[in-house]
Amino acid sequence: MDSSLLSAGIRSEVLLGLGSNMGDRLSYLSYTVNQLYKEAGKLTARSSVWESEPWGFEAEEYFLNMVVEISTTLDPKALLSVISSMELLLGRSRREGQGYQSRHIDIDILFWGEKIISVPGLEVPHPHIADRRFVLEPLNEIAADFIHPVTGRSVREMLTLCDDRSEVKLFSRAV
């Protein structure tokens, strides 16, 4: 589905994954949650904070991860712009060919309700959800029964079937 089919002004429930492994990780998550509320929409749910080892690259610092649900009237391109601006403000740089790297904040659009979106720079549902335990653990807290619109599996099922054996543990009940 082209994101232009999701017009601005129509309210959508969007699940976002947040992660940080540089500096005061908890403060970066807290700041990001507050900014999302100010710039993107009402927060309708938030998970606990989970700590996980880096996925796909080597780094000294573990990540803190969480998932939030927002109710937004932004269209996908506008939300992606807000997210990219937040990441840039907090020092994130996305350079082609560099792969995964440490960052102060990473924000991924995981699900846009039951919509499937494929436009340059944005694939929703996020294509790696089922492979990443650091996403599935917090997602399972707030949306265990949500059905992936492509695979037909619930978040709970995806977590059970996930082959990722990296270390993921509860860090904090709140941010």
Side-chain angles (χ1 to χ4, degrees):
M1 166 184 284
D2 184 304
S3 70
S4 65
L5 298 177
L6 296 169
S7 303
I10 297 175
R11 189 154 298 281
S12 299
E13 306 309 308
V14 180
L15 287 158
L16 303 171
L18 313 178
S20 174
N21 81 323
M22 292 177 68
D24 186 346
R25 303 169 298 163
L26 205 52
S27 289
Y28 282 113
L29 290 177
S30 179
Y31 174 83
T32 301
V33 167
N34 289 330
Q35 286 304 112
L36 285 167
Y37 175 75
K38 290 177 184 175
E39 297 181 37
K42 180 182 176 187
L43 265 74
T44 54
R46 71 174 80 187
S47 73
S48 300
V49 177
W50 294 75
E51 187 172 47
S52 65
E53 59 186 291
W55 190 94
F57 73 105
E58 298 290 324
E60 287 185 29
E61 288 293 323
Y62 273 32
F63 275 84
L64 292 185
N65 301 286
M66 67 183 297
V67 171
V68 297
E69 181 181 55
I70 63 169
S71 180
T72 187
T73 56
L74 297 176
D75 65 57
K77 288 180 182 177
L79 180 59
L80 188 58
S81 178
V82 166
I83 287 169
S84 296
S85 294
M86 281 185 208
E87 290 178 332
L88 187 63
L89 179 70
L90 296 175
R92 172 99 191 253
S93 63
R94 293 180 188 258
R95 292 186 285 265
E96 284 295 315
Q98 287 204 322
Y100 300 114
Q101 50 190 263
S102 292
R103 59 209 77 142
H104 291 103
I105 198 68
D106 180 40
I107 309 167
D108 290 323
I109 300 174
L110 303 175
F111 292 107
W112 196 287
E114 297 173 358
K115 304 283 189 256
I116 298 168
I117 304 166
S118 183
V119 296
L122 181 61
E123 294 292 323
V124 178
H126 191 286
H128 301 293
I129 291 171
D131 303 324
R132 297 177 175 173
R133 198 164 150 242
F134 69 87
V135 172
L136 290 170
E137 289 285 1
L139 185 58
N140 189 57
E141 266 190 273
I142 64 171
D145 295 324
F146 182 82
I147 303 297
H148 192 296
V150 175
T151 68
R153 290 195 167 116
S154 70
V155 169
R156 181 181 294 110
E157 276 181 281
M158 289 188 290
L159 179 57
T160 301
L161 297 170
C162 184
D163 290 332
D164 179 7
R165 296 294 170 236
S166 58
E167 183 180 353
V168 179
K169 62 183 179 182
L170 186 62
F171 182 82
S172 173
R173 291 278 177 203
V175 61

